[in-house]
Amino acid sequence: MLKTFERMSETIKDEVYIMGQKVVVANELSLEAITSKNVKLFSKAKNELNNISHMSNKIDNLILRALALHQPEAKDLRQMVSYLKITNEIVRAGTNTKSFIKNFSKSFHKEVDFDTIFEFSIPLQKSSIEAIKTSIELVKMYDTQEIEFSFQKVLVEENKTDDLYAMIEKALLKKLSSKVELSKYYLDILSSLRRLEKVADRAASIANLLVFAHLGGELHQA
Amino acid sequence: MKTKINVEDLNLWYGSKHALQNINIKLNKNKITALIGPSGCGKSTFLRCINRMNDLITAAKVEGKIVIDGKNIYDKDVDEVSVRKRVGMVFQQPNPFPKSIYENIAYAPIKHGLVNKGKACDKLVEKSLISAGLWDEVKDILHNPGTSLSGGQQQRLCIARTIAVEPDVILMDEPTSALDPISTEKIEALMLELKKKYTIVIVTHNMQQAARVADYTAFFHMGDLIEYDETETIFVNPKEKKTEDYITGRFG
């Protein structure tokens, strides 16, 4: 491949990584907002995601250009197709993060039992962050073993978020039945926590696409 | 962007056949411009106008201007040999002289009086072969025949030969069509290096090649210049339907 394509490919990879980091940082800030009870950090987290659609468009256009001008084959082609789909996954992960922040921050009510919620939501959030962080780190990996190990790690964290969400759903539905007047708050919280589980789903999809890019096989949606 | 070659109202006839019709185009300095189009569209004819190669065809008649660095190369006071020294050409089939690798490079500069035999000539040969990315492969066999090299090496030898007379412009007429993919990639990488110093115009039937290496692309059809723009525009958002149909393989 010509150096011009290699440079283009590296730029795309770097931009995908930077874009992914925005989602990681936004999720880390929202976890910090909860653990430190500093609500201001939620808006800082939201700000991280302000430019994400613009970044996605920019990367997609770079990919379009690379495909049109260089007609990559094999691994190069797999990478380009994967990145094109990954930008969409990162945008979706960002949208889920924003929804989590919005719904969770508006459900603060003094009578809501946040001790029970945090018992599950913090581990859920941590797993979700671990999943998205690891999947974005995969962008910069070259070693097959390292890639496979990280891919498995993402899947484990994603499974954990499924389980933790199921547990918190059960616990909150119990609470909801005992305090119907707070049902709106509990349902908002549930809805927001569901978003964290979806962030982990997107992380699994990103990891899956990166494994396809590196190792080949069939392209399929996770 | 600085214009290197300004073509104004260029028309060419082969006898009664109007092969190029009113071509107007500005080719930029230190850029690669690809000429694409179906066979017989006039792209090679146009390329040969840029160094007055068509003067060698008796039936060819040219009208219009090709201005290189402010001077119309078709002006009566311009000698076509001096034009061809400034505007070098690389052909489809590698065509080294039946001489040694060294002599292939040294022949023209000595003939043009650019250097004398000896150290200065040795240096020029080395410099040209380095620029063409061939030095490391041939430095120990400089006195072997040029024809003993592989096809890809012979083509790079021809490029080195072109560079040796220090032209401003290099014309390439399907320079890789007779080469395998590895040699093709070497020539393409070389073009990207050479454009830092030279203005390059290439005719190619390989649209992927045009997309990969060219900064600008011109699409010709039946003697007309249909569209000329940045390569990215031509391959992603062509403005003319004919261009789109051609590059998507719907005709030609």
Side-chain angles (χ1 to χ4, degrees):
Chain A
M1 239 335 146
L2 291 172
K3 276 183 189 161
T4 40
F5 175 76
E6 282 170 16
R7 279 198 292 269
M8 222 178 223
S9 176
E10 277 305 309
T11 306
I12 291 166
K13 184 185 280 189
D14 290 345
E15 295 284 333
V16 168
Y17 184 79
I18 292 166
M19 185 186 170
Q21 281 299 320
K22 294 263 176 199
V23 178
V24 173
V25 171
N27 277 281
E28 284 174 339
L29 283 169
S30 60
L31 173 64
E32 204 185 328
I34 289 168
T35 52
S36 66
K37 298 190 170 56
N38 179 359
V39 204
K40 277 183 188 166
L41 286 174
F42 276 131
S43 51
K44 206 174 165 191
K46 257 165 70 178
N47 287 342
E48 278 293 317
L49 301 167
N50 278 347
N51 242 349
I52 208 137
S53 294
H54 175 72
M55 289 175 96
S56 168
N57 290 337
K58 187 181 157 197
I59 296 167
D60 290 351
N61 278 300
L62 280 175
I63 295 169
L64 178 67
R65 213 170 110 196
L67 290 171
L69 300 187
H70 292 277
Q71 302 86 34
E73 306 286 358
K75 189 176 180 181
D76 295 330
L77 175 63
R78 294 200 306 269
Q79 273 183 340
M80 288 299 130
V81 172
S82 298
Y83 290 152
L84 195 59
K85 290 174 81 73
I86 285 169
T87 55
N88 185 43
E89 295 294 347
I90 297 175
V91 168
R92 289 172 71 185
T95 308
N96 283 315
T97 306
K98 273 187 199 167
S99 297
F100 164 73
I101 294 167
K102 189 179 160 197
N103 288 338
F104 199 84
S105 53
K106 79 177 182 192
S107 357
F108 288 124
H109 188 281
K110 59 182 177 185
E111 285 183 52
V112 170
D113 176 10
F114 273 99
D115 288 340
T116 308
I117 291 166
F118 288 154
E119 189 188 338
F120 297 103
S121 78
I122 290 175
L124 171 62
Q125 208 171 356
K126 282 181 176 170
S127 277
S128 175
I129 290 169
E130 206 50 42
I132 192 76
K133 197 173 178 178
T134 310
S135 70
I136 297 302
E137 288 303 326
L138 265 166
V139 173
K140 293 274 184 181
M141 288 179 193
Y142 295 93
D143 179 70
T144 305
Q145 269 191 324
E146 203 183 1
I147 289 165
E148 281 172 347
F149 176 78
S150 296
F151 175 63
Q152 290 306 325
K153 191 176 168 191
V154 174
L155 295 188
V156 168
E157 294 300 336
E158 195 263 328
N159 278 333
K160 272 163 76 178
T161 60
D162 286 346
D163 293 345
L164 286 161
Y165 180 75
M167 286 159 80
I168 199 167
E169 189 178 41
K170 204 172 156 188
L172 289 192
L173 287 175
K174 253 188 202 172
K175 294 268 172 204
L176 194 149
S177 57
S178 62
K179 284 200 170 182
V180 183
E181 68 278 11
L182 294 174
S183 59
K184 183 193 171 299
Y185 297 101
Y186 280 116
L187 286 173
D188 273 350
I189 287 165
L190 255 185
S191 157
S192 68
L193 295 176
R194 176 92 175 130
R195 301 291 164 181
L196 289 180
E197 192 261 319
K198 284 192 181 292
V199 169
D201 287 347
R202 304 283 53 89
S205 184
I206 291 166
N208 194 46
L209 286 163
L210 287 166
V211 166
F212 166 75
H214 283 286
L215 310 175
E218 290 265 312
L219 180 65
H220 62 267
Q221 202 74 38
Chain B
M1 201 63 61
K2 199 174 172 193
T3 300
K4 179 76 183 175
I5 304 168
N6 188 8
V7 180
E8 294 173 25
D9 303 324
L10 183 76
N11 284 276
L12 183 139
W13 289 265
Y14 289 126
S16 60
K17 188 181 184 286
H18 198 174
L20 288 175
Q21 295 159 32
N22 220 30
I23 307 296
N24 286 282
I25 189 171
K26 287 179 179 178
L27 305 178
N28 292 320
K29 192 177 177 179
N30 297 114
K31 298 288 173 195
I32 300 176
T33 302
L35 311 179
I36 61 167
S39 296
C41 69
K43 54 191 186 300
S44 290
T45 299
F46 174 68
L47 191 79
R48 287 197 299 266
C49 287
I50 303 175
N51 71 345
R52 290 185 55 175
M53 286 281 279
N54 287 315
D55 290 13
L56 302 170
I57 302 168
T58 349
K61 188 184 111 191
V62 181
E63 276 180 12
K65 285 182 183 175
I66 295 185
V67 179
I68 301 178
D69 291 333
K71 179 71 181 166
N72 179 14
I73 61 165
Y74 283 92
D75 276 350
K76 282 187 179 154
D77 61 337
V78 177
D79 160 43
E80 69 266 27
V81 178
S82 69
V83 171
R84 286 176 209 142
K85 183 183 156 289
R86 285 179 61 205
V87 185
M89 191 156 186
V90 177
F91 298 88
Q92 185 174 4
Q93 284 291 338
N95 54 355
F97 303 138
K99 290 173 179 288
S100 70
I101 294 166
Y102 182 97
E103 287 168 307
N104 260 278
I105 311 293
Y107 183 80
I110 291 171
K111 278 273 172 197
H112 280 292
L114 294 174
V115 284
N116 293 319
K117 284 181 185 173
K119 276 194 176 169
C121 188
D122 294 349
K123 273 201 164 181
L124 179 65
V125 169
E126 181 179 340
K127 193 178 139 197
S128 305
L129 287 167
I130 288 171
S131 299
L134 194 58
W135 175 250
D136 287 338
E137 292 159 64
V138 301
K139 63 184 175 196
D140 300 322
I141 52 164
L142 287 176
H143 296 288
N144 286 7
T147 48
S148 65
L149 298 172
S150 72
Q153 287 173 322
Q154 284 186 27
Q155 195 62 304
R156 279 183 284 148
L157 178 64
C158 293
I159 293 172
R161 190 176 67 187
T162 306
I163 295 168
V165 291
E166 295 172 358
D168 295 328
V169 179
I170 301 176
L171 308 177
M172 295 182 167
D173 194 355
E174 296 187 56
T176 62
S177 63
L179 305 181
D180 64 63
I182 304 286
S183 304
T184 297
E185 191 180 326
K186 283 186 181 167
I187 300 277
E188 288 178 1
L190 177 58
M191 283 186 228
L192 295 174
E193 277 302 309
L194 291 176
K195 77 169 182 177
K196 292 172 188 164
K197 203 170 168 195
Y198 309 99
T199 301
I200 298 175
V201 189
I202 174 179
V203 163
T204 180
H205 271 293
N206 180 341
M207 277 178 293
Q208 285 75 29
Q209 181 170 66
R212 282 193 296 267
V213 300
D215 301 292
Y216 293 87
T217 297
F219 170 60
F220 283 78
H221 185 240
M222 295 174 79
D224 284 322
L225 172 61
I226 304 296
E227 190 169 351
Y228 170 56
D229 213 321
E230 287 184 12
T231 298
E232 187 185 335
T233 306
I234 295 286
F235 284 89
V236 181
N237 293 304
K239 291 181 184 74
E240 300 295 329
K241 189 176 180 304
K242 268 186 192 165
T243 314
E244 177 139 8
D245 285 351
Y246 180 70
I247 64 171
T248 53
R250 289 186 171 84
F251 83 86

